[in-house]
Amino acid sequence: MAHKKMSFPCHAVFSDVRTMKQIHHDDQGVADIKGVLRYVKILAVLCVLLLIILPILLHFKIGNTEAKEPKEDIKTGSLTAIAAGFEIPPFDDTEEGKMAEYGHKLITETYALIGPGTQKAITGNKLACSSCHLDGGTKSFAAPYIGLSGVFPIYIGREDKIESLEERINGCFERSMNGKAIDVNSKEMRAIMSYIKHLSKDAPVGTRLKGQGFVDFKAPDRAADIKKGAIIYKNTCATCHGPDGGGLKGTKGNREGGYVYPPLWGEDAYNDGAGMARLLTAARFIKGNMPLGVTHDAPLLSDEDAFDVAAYINSHERPVKANRELDYPNLAKKPVDCPYPPYQDEISQEQHQLGPFTFKK
């Protein structure tokens, strides 16, 4: 049987070839588009991740930078305790520095600037604030000013309220200085505040420093012995403060118009509403600071000696604070050694003055 020869037109072959090339080209284009879309999706995901991670990395970097570069914390400050021999920082030649310097003079030369006989006549005696706040208010455990601007306002039981530092200073003017309160916006008040702020540059905010206030003290479980206190006073205190408690007056060039050593009783002493008129407060001050030159960590007097001599000193007459019966509106806040009534208990005034302080508030 004879085979029929088959033939393919040339144009058909070429047409098929073109079709195959077109299909291949189209497939390649689709593949390219899919590849681009894939990369776009990857880039989009990376961008989203970068937006999430970048702030975290920046925060971590900043945090590490701050940790590697120590700087003073405003809250904690760089001081934890008031060192012996604390040096007053130099006063800047600025308005603030000049005001702080004037405040220092008010503290150390109170009698000459605002004492009796001066134009201001704010204080009623010729003491200086530094008679109690020793070394210009810088001696540790002698009620120093360092750090006070970071502690106040605080609750004060005597007024039964949150009190500003200015109000507390006025309390000293009215009691320890037996004078009068002044305008909180007066030049004198601003100067004292500026001085306290100047001393407190490196002190913490909201935290007390070691050395503020007075030393620890344990009162004997007995009444104070005034006769024994008189002997201690004669042997330890009379050399500076005088046998009659009148102090040693200043001379020309040396605290003229004031005292080298302040009186402890009499008309020119603190009045009976002052903190020092309280037996336990006076004993703590005496133990940590008297005779002049001793330090809190090397006291000369024992707790019992300080207790008895404080009672002897406060047994003498002194100016009377007006309206002292209005102190401690909440009698539950009245200290056990407050020497004047009213009281919320049935304990005698004498026991409140001399102890023993074994009773509860």
Side-chain angles (χ1 to χ4, degrees), residues 217 219-220 222-225 279-280 283 302-312 354-357:
F217 173 82
R222 61 171 176 81
D225 189 331
L279 175 54
L280 297 180
S302 66
D303 287 350
E304 294 209 0
D305 289 343
F307 187 63
D308 291 333
V309 75
Y312 172 72
L354 300 175
F357 302 109

Side-chain angles (χ1 to χ4, degrees), residues 87-143:
E87 293 187 7
I88 300 173
F91 298 106
D92 298 331
D93 188 19
T94 61
E95 291 303 315
E96 287 187 5
K98 292 174 183 177
M99 187 67 81
E101 187 173 16
Y102 178 49
H104 174 256
K105 290 183 179 180
L106 285 169
I107 296 302
T108 56
E109 303 172 33
T110 320
Y111 50 86
L113 298 174
I114 56 175
T118 66
Q119 185 177 0
K120 302 272 186 184
I122 293 170
T123 67
N125 56 36
K126 296 179 180 179
L127 302 179
C129 298
S130 57
S131 297
C132 293
H133 304 276
L134 303 180
D135 297 342
T138 66
K139 187 177 187 296
S140 59
F141 298 98

Side-chain angles (χ1 to χ4, degrees), residues 326-340:
L326 301 179
D327 290 350
Y328 303 100
N330 181 356
L331 291 179
K333 302 295 183 180
K334 200 163 193 175
V336 294
D337 63 332
C338 187
Y340 50 87

